[in-house]
Structures are given as structure tokens and as C-alpha cells.
Amino acid sequence: YAVPQRDFRQNVRQGFGADGNVHYKLDRQGILSLGGELGFLGYGRETKRVPLSSTVGGRILVDLTTSNNVFWMGVGPQLTAPSGPIRPYVNGTAGFAVFWTESSVKGDYDSETFASTNNYNDATFAWTAGGGFLIPVGTSKQGAIDFGVRWNGNGNTRYLRRGDIIDLPNGSVQLRVNEGETPMLMWRLGLRWGLF
């Protein structure tokens, strides 16, 4: 769950997504490890019923969905307490983030989209810094519940938010592009395996 910060918060209220990461132990106890991660986040979505085409008119209607998204990837170190029922950790990464807005169309009885367009995208340098707690579970202690919080710092980015694509009478669109830094505070809940 992401909460936009600073000026970004004036344009975007919240976001939801998922991420995954892998870590390579640099010592036997796993105190220091090097990790890589990637993640996806949606921060705005709207759907409306529109005619399939101007030729067909209103006889055939479809769902036009526009979504605003972020994809990020990074690598960096992590320090983890080697033992105990609750094992705190701190980590950080450096990499990049891509902000993009996509529109897609699907019919009433088809869960798959049959047409889509990338309306706008921009990439920027991205870094994260955070921490959390690992709570080992199971008799083998190979798994753990992971609860953490992190700061996602993104550089200057051009992006669209919900409502920034305006349909014009001649069939074209007008984009209201926002620009600025896009930091987010992220709360994470997940599972780790094979760390201990």
C-alpha cells in the first residue's frame, strides 16, 4: 500500500501493488545480503462505457479502462538480525522506475482485452530505503512473515493521473501531463522463504 508524499500527494491519493525480491547471503548467518527486487503499483484507474466505433455508433458498447501504473527495479544491500523470534532488518536499493498510462478495451462477456494503447510513459532514477521485521514460522524456520515500510524516492518524472486524458470531439485526445518528483511511503506485508 503506497501513500504519495510531498507534491505528488496533491495529484495522487494512494496506490496498491505487489513486489518480489531475492537475496544472496554474503556471510553464513545471512546478516549481510545483496538483493534485487522488482515491483508493480497501480495508482489510478477509471472505466467507462463507450461505443466500439463511430461507424457502429451506440449499438455495440465496450468497456474502456485507463490505468496509471508504476514499475520499478533495483539492487542493494540488506542487514538482518541473525536470530530471535522477531528479526529486524534494514535495506536499500538503487535502480529505475517507469510511470505509464495505458488504455484497453474489452467486451461484456470477455475477460481478455482485445485492444490497448500506451497513452504516455516516462522513466526515472529510483531508490528505496526501508526496514521491517521478519517473523519466522514453521518448524524448519525456512519461512517468515515479512512486515516492512520503505521510502521510494523517484527522480523528476512526467506522468498522468486519473482524468488527465481528455477526449476531444474530433476523436483525438488531449493529455494533461504532470511533472515533478514522485516519492512514496510504502507499507509491505508478505512472505519470505529460504532466508534462514
Side-chain angles (χ1 to χ4, degrees):
Y1 174 70
V3 181
Q5 303 294 307
R6 298 177 183 168
D7 292 343
F8 190 38
R9 193 168 189 172
Q10 298 177 9
N11 293 329
V12 176
R13 193 179 67 163
Q14 62 186 357
F16 296 91
D19 67 3
N21 57 69
V22 294
H23 285 86
Y24 177 76
K25 295 180 183 179
L26 299 179
D27 61 83
R28 293 187 64 181
Q29 292 182 296
I31 298 173
L32 178 62
S33 61
L34 182 64
E37 71 165 14
L38 53 85
F40 168 84
L41 180 79
Y43 64 89
R45 183 182 181 91
E46 58 182 328
T47 300
K48 58 183 179 179
R49 297 285 284 172
V50 298
L52 177 61
S53 72
S54 58
T55 304
V56 174
R59 295 189 180 194
I60 299 179
L61 300 177
V62 293
D63 289 330
L64 171 62
T65 299
T66 300
S67 60
N68 303 301
N69 315 287
V70 187
F71 170 83
W72 71 90
M73 181 180 292
V75 295
Q78 175 167 296
L79 289 172
T80 307
S83 62
I86 298 178
R87 305 180 186 181
Y89 66 85
V90 292
N91 57 24
T93 65
F96 67 91
V98 178
F99 286 69
W100 85 97
T101 297
E102 182 179 63
S103 294
S104 59
V105 176
K106 68 179 180 180
D108 284 338
Y109 304 106
D110 190 357
S111 60
E112 299 295 325
T113 61
F114 61 84
S116 64
T117 296
N118 187 326
N119 305 115
Y120 194 83
N121 64 76
D122 191 22
T124 184
F125 170 77
W127 60 272
T128 68
F133 300 94
L134 297 174
I135 304 173
V137 295
T139 55
S140 64
K141 302 298 184 183
Q142 287 293 305
I145 296 172
D146 182 355
F147 177 75
V149 62
R150 77 168 70 185
W151 180 271
N152 276 43
N154 301 307
N156 194 67
T157 313
R158 293 168 61 87
Y159 63 93
L160 300 179
R161 59 182 177 173
R162 182 175 176 177
D164 279 342
I165 300 178
I166 302 169
D167 296 298
L168 301 178
N170 63 1
S172 62
V173 296
Q174 177 183 344
L175 304 180
R176 294 186 302 202
V177 180
N178 305 279
E179 183 173 1
E181 294 188 356
T182 53
M184 292 177 282
L185 186 65
M186 290 191 178
W187 299 90
R188 304 169 60 246
L189 177 63
L191 297 173
R192 291 278 181 98
W193 182 258
L195 183 63
F196 308 107

